[in-house]
Amino acid sequence: LRQVSDLSDFSRGHWLRELLCRAEELSHVQSSPDGQHLLLLQKSLPPTLPRVVAFQRHSIAGADLERSWQPPQPAVVGLLFLQSPVVLGSWVLAVVWEHGRTEVWHFVVAVGWQLLQTLELCQGARARVVSVCSRGTSLVWCEERPPLGAHSDMSKCAFRFCVCARALEVGEQGVRLGTVRIVLHNSPEYQVLASPQHIFLVPAAAGFATTSKFLLIWHPEKAEFTITAPSAGFIRSKVLHSSSESDFRKLLLDSVGLLSGFAPLDIHTSAVSSSGGLLLVSTKGSVSIVEPDGTQRHIFDLEGGPLAQGSPVQLKTFGSILACVLAGVLYLVNQNSGRLVEKEVLSMKEVHFLEGQGEGDSIQLLSQTGIYSFSFSKPEDSSRPEPCLVEMVFEEACRYYQRRSLSSSKLTVEKLKKGGTFQAPVVLTAILQHSLDQKQKPAQGLQDTYAKLLSTMSLELQSYMSLELLKTCVVCAPESEVESYCKELVEQEVGRILQSDMDKDNLAYLNSVFASFPKAAWKAIRSCLQLQQNGDGLLVARATPEVWKKVLCQPQLEEVGQNGMVPLFELICTSFLRFKPKWLPSFVELTQQYVSSSWSYSSKEGPEGRVPLYKRALGVLARRNKHGEAEDEMELELLLCSKRPKAVLQALHLLIRLKQWQRVVEVAEKFSKLSPLLNKEIFITLLAEFAQHRELDPYLDRLWPLCPAELTASDILTIVLQHLPHSQEDPVPFSSEGNPLTLGLLKPLLQRVVQRPSVQEEMYSDALQSTFPPPTPPREH
């Protein structure tokens, strides 16, 4: 720390020092945009009255600014500096009181502080301002509008607040207020915080639990509200086309069910960063940033565990550096990488950040003993050499992936480098760029000093840059070319997901991609699996084993079925049914071939150990809710391509129900060769059908050769008698109804069974043909 002022260069510097020593009396300290004025807001502690006091630097002569009030008179709720384009100065000070009265002051050299005008900000006499901020030349505030009834229950009027905006224009003729714009009405209490382009609405600490689960971001230029929750990220955006849509309840009408499941906000301190994001510090000491588009990013965790309710946390950003003061400790953190740049224990506990009048790499702090400057730039000769930087990056990545790994084996930097596991180009480039900015190296120095690091991350950078370039093309392309760019983008995204872990988030993302871009996703999956027909017309795939494992990944039951989310295999089957249904059975067969070569039959670790693939494909077919010839044919193909005994018998029964007797016999001839047990089941099924009707009579010469060797004539007659159709009348020798079953039809089968050798005869044939008795074994003497 380097002291740049002992406060003696301020007007009434001795009094300023006394006020800073009584830190418990100060509720707010603020500096002007040019850094030449300090404004202190003093609380009401008897016998001192609450007041606003301004101090000028460099002992500028002129009238002082000091405003006090006697409680229970309305208090000051905001000290705001607004832009002023006229000659009077580059800015004016607006002092906003709780009941809406606004005093506009400006400072003139050699004259001092002058009151330009007093205005009434609120339209209603009973309105009460609870929070106010400024954006450019406009004021945005949240006001309370009490109910008309004097004895109304305030708990029943939770939505009695209103967010308003009003232009405050300073001209040569004086100050003029614009018309009041109702941004949001019938809302709970909000603290309003302004960035250069957006307004953040943070629920008050005393708000209701139902409305304290999300943040609102107002985009004035678009008349749009963004709803975001730190626990879930961006939720939705809505453009308010008319004033009737600015009702708080209407804004949340479409999101009530989703918001009710979120955890309440955990906010200890909030502030706006120089980049336009909202900095949030939780009671656990976690620092994060909410961007204007609603996305959230974790930055850093403060030391010391949970924060007490009264412990102040000071936040301010200087470029890409986040400065944070907690309990007399100054933390400097890189916002991009989240790395702690510097940690300094201060000799004073009460400090305040000032608007930076120094250089870009320094921070100015105000304390009771003066103004100090802290430089966080590194000397040129103290820079880390390249090997240390490389190891630092990989050691950090190694700790990160070790936490995510389910393996008990220790992950080393060498394994991480060889395995190519580290895929964080954004973090790497941020670290690299920050280091270069500090050293102000020329472009050539990048190649010379960081050659090894660049070579390690070159492939990741190329992939990342190509994706960013493609996104830019999508945004800038005409409508006629957007579809082609979207196809390429989808292909890259699907390929990227198939190379990463198939967790619940990635699976949900793939579901949304397939739902939003079905045709592009179909082409992408064909490309990733390298599906094509060979010269014989058969479907072949040249996907790697890793890709096949992602395709066959089947999450836990509690992870699927939520919001219609289905596993990747089912997504691919759906695409086949939509764009290439004839290929689906071949795809299932290809997938089974990979499973059989990678896992043992019915292994619990493999995908077949849970639900067979053909059943998963049949489930996709059933969800189409269509019943026709095409669906019956697809069901047959899926059952038969599995070659499982139960599936084959199910297909046989389906063919019998459809009365496709030619195909019944063909399937029986083909699949009876797979196993003796399946052969027996197929023959018994067809023999039972033969006993009931005469549809199979033309195919008896092909059916009888399928008779299993273990079936005897007695077995055959028993099966036939069990399946004869039942007649309502007494049996007669010669029936006139239909074509009855006769022994003449069974004679070829019975002769075939009787004439062939029995199983027992085959077992003992060798023994019967040998000499009897057997030769005497040699004696042992």
Side-chain angles (χ1 to χ4, degrees):
L1 286 174
R2 180 173 58 89
Q3 187 175 31
V4 295
S5 172
D6 60 356
L7 303 182
S8 61
D9 55 342
F10 279 86
S11 61
R12 301 177 292 173
H14 180 71
W15 187 27
L16 172 60
R17 191 177 293 108
E18 286 184 0
L19 289 178
L20 291 173
C21 289
R22 302 198 299 267
E24 68 279 357
E25 297 183 8
L26 298 178
S27 61
H28 184 68
V29 177
Q30 188 173 350
S31 64
S32 62
D34 57 7
Q36 300 301 311
H37 303 267
L38 279 178
L39 275 79
L40 277 65
L41 184 58
Q42 194 173 5
K43 293 184 290 188
S44 175
L45 292 176
T48 306
L49 294 177
R51 57 186 165 186
V52 177
V53 187
F55 298 91
Q56 291 73 249
R57 202 169 187 180
H58 302 306
S59 299
I60 303 174
D64 296 323
L65 171 62
E66 182 176 344
R67 297 285 283 111
S68 62
W69 61 95
Q70 180 72 42
Q73 292 179 353
V76 171
V77 293
L79 301 173
L80 307 172
F81 291 97
L82 288 86
Q83 299 173 1
S84 174
V86 296
V87 188
L88 294 173
S90 60
W91 51 266
V92 294
L93 171 65
V95 181
V96 183
W97 303 78
E98 194 176 52
H99 59 311
R101 180 173 298 171
T102 302
E103 297 179 354
V104 182
W105 295 77
H106 75 103
F107 185 85
V108 181
V109 179
V111 178
W113 287 98
Q114 289 185 338
L115 178 63
L116 289 180
Q117 199 163 343
T118 300
L119 307 164
E120 291 297 334
L121 194 61
C122 303
Q123 288 182 325
R126 303 174 70 249
R128 183 178 69 91
V129 178
V130 295
S131 176
V132 63
C133 65
S134 64
R135 174 184 167 270
T137 59
S138 297
L139 295 177
V140 181
W141 72 95
C142 178
E143 67 179 45
E144 180 184 12
R145 294 183 173 181
L148 296 177
H151 302 286
S152 299
D153 188 356
M154 300 299 283
S155 63
K156 297 180 180 178
C157 305
F159 303 101
R160 63 183 184 274
F161 294 86
C162 179
V163 180
C164 309
R166 199 168 189 179
L168 191 150
E169 301 175 358
V170 181
E172 295 180 358
Q173 305 301 323
V175 182
R176 186 178 68 86
L177 277 175
T179 57
V180 176
R181 178 182 179 185
I182 305 297
V183 178
L184 195 65
H185 60 87
N186 296 330
S187 75
E189 182 180 352
Y190 277 108
Q191 178 191 8
V192 290
L193 299 169
S195 72
Q197 302 296 331
H198 312 88
I199 304 294
F200 293 94
L201 277 67
V202 181
F208 288 79
T210 53
T211 59
S212 299
K213 298 182 178 183
F214 56 89
L215 305 171
L216 296 179
I217 306 172
W218 178 45
H219 310 265
E221 304 298 333
K222 304 177 184 177
E224 181 183 43
F225 266 101
T226 295
I227 306 173
T228 180
S231 60
F234 171 81
I235 297 174
R236 70 180 296 244
S237 291
K238 183 176 183 180
V239 178
L240 306 182
H241 297 286
S242 62
S243 58
S244 63
E245 297 182 359
S246 61
D247 186 271
F248 177 78
R249 300 172 193 181
K250 291 183 179 179
L251 177 65
L252 300 182
L253 188 60
D254 297 334
S255 309
V256 172
L258 181 63
L259 295 173
S260 62
F262 293 154
L265 294 174
D266 180 16
I267 300 177
H268 180 279
T269 306
S270 59
V272 178
S273 70
S274 58
S275 63
L278 178 65
L279 295 167
L280 298 177
V281 182
S282 70
T283 56
K284 298 178 181 178
S286 174
V287 183
S288 58
I289 184 170
V290 178
E291 300 295 348
D293 59 1
T295 57
Q296 188 210 13
R297 179 170 54 87
H298 176 263
I299 297 178
F300 183 69
D301 289 324
L302 296 172
E303 298 176 356
L307 304 179
Q309 187 63 32
S311 58
V313 179
Q314 301 280 343
L315 293 173
K316 195 168 183 62
T317 54
F318 300 84
S320 62
I321 297 297
L322 167 64
C324 181
V325 174
L326 171 63
V329 180
L330 172 65
Y331 299 89
L332 299 179
V333 182
N334 188 315
Q335 286 189 90
N336 298 326
S337 63
R339 178 170 290 277
L340 181 65
V341 177
E342 194 77 29
K343 177 183 175 183
E344 184 78 14
V345 179
L346 305 177
S347 59
M348 66 291 286
K349 287 192 175 181
E350 295 292 337
V351 295
H352 306 274
F353 291 113
L354 299 180
E355 295 295 333
Q357 290 296 308
E359 301 176 0
D361 56 356
S362 65
I363 296 173
Q364 286 200 347
L365 301 172
L366 171 67
S367 74
Q368 60 192 24
T369 59
I371 297 177
Y372 295 85
S373 176
F374 183 82
S375 177
F376 51 82
S377 61
K378 297 286 185 180
E380 183 70 24
D381 55 356
S382 66
S383 60
R384 293 175 179 267
E386 185 204 7
C388 294
L389 179 64
V390 175
E391 291 303 316
M392 177 188 70
V393 172
F394 275 100
E395 285 173 5
E396 183 68 23
C398 193
R399 285 193 290 270
Y400 170 70
Y401 283 103
Q402 185 69 57
R403 288 198 303 268
R404 290 185 57 192
S405 176
L406 299 177
S407 174
S408 59
S409 61
K410 184 70 176 176
L411 182 64
T412 63
V413 174
E414 288 72 21
K415 290 181 181 178
L416 194 65
K417 289 180 180 179
K418 293 179 181 178
T421 311
F422 188 31
Q423 298 176 358
V426 180
V427 178
L428 281 174
T429 49
I431 295 173
L432 185 61
Q433 183 179 6
H434 173 70
S435 181
L436 290 173
D437 288 343
Q438 283 190 339
K439 303 173 192 300
Q440 296 181 352
K441 292 281 186 181
Q444 184 60 34
L446 178 67
Q447 298 294 334
D448 297 340
T449 311
Y450 296 97
K452 185 184 294 184
L453 184 58
L454 277 175
S455 63
T456 304
M457 56 187 276
S458 60
L459 293 177
E460 301 292 344
L461 277 175
Q462 289 174 11
S463 175
Y464 177 72
M465 290 303 296
S466 62
L467 185 59
E468 290 299 312
L469 180 62
L470 183 57
K471 290 179 180 178
T472 305
C473 293
V474 172
V475 173
C476 303
E479 291 186 7
S480 58
E481 299 179 7
V482 168
E483 185 177 357
S484 61
Y485 283 124
C486 283
K487 290 179 181 177
E488 186 178 350
L489 181 60
V490 168
E491 183 172 347
Q492 289 195 22
E493 285 293 275
V494 172
R496 180 182 65 83
I497 295 296
L498 289 179
Q499 296 299 327
S500 57
D501 295 335
M502 190 58 67
D503 55 13
K504 185 171 66 174
D505 293 334
N506 281 338
L507 184 58
Y509 180 52
L510 272 180
N511 273 258
S512 64
V513 169
F514 272 78
S516 303
F517 308 97
K519 191 171 183 180
W522 158 247
K523 292 186 177 180
I525 207 68
R526 282 186 59 182
S527 175
C528 293
L529 296 178
Q530 300 185 45
L531 292 171
Q532 56 186 351
Q533 284 183 310
N534 60 11
D536 299 330
L538 300 176
L539 186 67
V540 294
R542 294 183 176 86
T544 62
E546 291 300 322
V547 172
W548 275 120
K549 287 182 180 179
K550 302 295 190 310
V551 170
L552 295 169
C553 177
Q554 191 173 5
Q556 298 297 327
L557 292 178
E558 61 268 14
E559 296 182 1
V560 298
Q562 301 175 358
N563 300 324
M565 188 174 69
V566 297
L568 179 56
F569 179 78
E570 277 76 355
L571 285 177
I572 298 175
C573 290
T574 304
S575 292
F576 270 105
L577 284 174
R578 182 170 182 176
F579 298 103
K580 205 74 172 177
K582 293 183 179 179
W583 283 11
L584 179 57
S586 301
F587 169 72
V588 174
E589 192 170 2
L590 277 175
T591 313
Q592 289 179 155
Q593 291 175 5
Y594 169 75
V595 171
S596 61
S597 62
S598 303
W599 287 283
S600 60
Y601 186 77
S602 295
S603 170
K604 293 297 181 183
E605 298 178 358
E608 290 279 275
R610 299 180 183 177
V611 180
L613 294 176
Y614 81 92
K615 286 189 177 181
R616 293 173 64 180
L618 286 173
V620 174
L621 181 65
R623 282 193 289 270
R624 297 184 69 185
N625 291 325
K626 292 183 179 180
H627 302 285
E629 293 184 4
E631 285 68 33
D632 289 337
E633 184 65 28
M634 180 60 66
E635 182 179 354
L636 281 170
E637 293 293 332
L638 290 173
L639 289 170
L640 295 176
C641 76
S642 70
K643 299 181 181 177
R644 287 180 169 239
K646 290 184 178 179
V648 172
L649 290 174
Q650 187 178 345
L652 196 66
H653 285 290
L654 178 59
L655 287 172
I656 291 172
R657 180 170 58 83
L658 296 175
K659 300 183 185 234
Q660 298 183 14
W661 307 111
Q662 174 72 26
R663 292 192 63 186
V664 166
V665 177
E666 292 175 355
V667 168
E669 290 178 332
K670 179 179 179 181
F671 291 94
S672 293
K673 302 174 183 177
L674 294 182
S675 71
L677 184 60
L678 180 59
N679 178 26
K680 182 177 180 181
E681 292 291 335
I682 289 175
F683 184 79
I684 292 175
T685 301
L686 296 184
L687 188 60
E689 287 295 320
F690 164 77
Q692 298 178 41
H693 51 75
R694 307 275 55 80
E695 301 292 345
L696 286 172
D697 289 359
Y699 310 99
L700 294 181
D701 55 338
R702 298 168 59 182
L703 181 60
W704 300 149
L706 303 180
C707 181
E710 62 269 23
L711 283 185
T712 63
S714 176
D715 296 333
I716 292 173
L717 291 174
T718 301
I719 294 171
V720 170
L721 291 173
Q722 287 175 348
H723 292 87
L724 283 175
H726 298 286
S727 176
Q728 299 293 335
E729 303 176 357
D730 294 333
V732 296
F734 300 99
S735 175
S736 60
E737 296 180 0
N739 297 319
L741 175 62
T742 63
L743 285 176
L745 295 173
L746 275 175
K747 183 178 179 181
L749 174 61
L750 296 174
Q751 287 180 338
R752 185 184 187 91
V753 172
V754 171
Q755 291 175 359
R756 69 185 177 195
S758 64
V759 177
Q760 289 80 5
E761 290 177 354
E762 292 181 357
M763 292 173 57
Y764 296 107
S765 59
D766 293 337
L768 293 174
Q769 294 176 4
S770 60
T771 57
F772 184 83
T776 304
R779 299 179 182 273
E780 294 182 2
H781 300 283

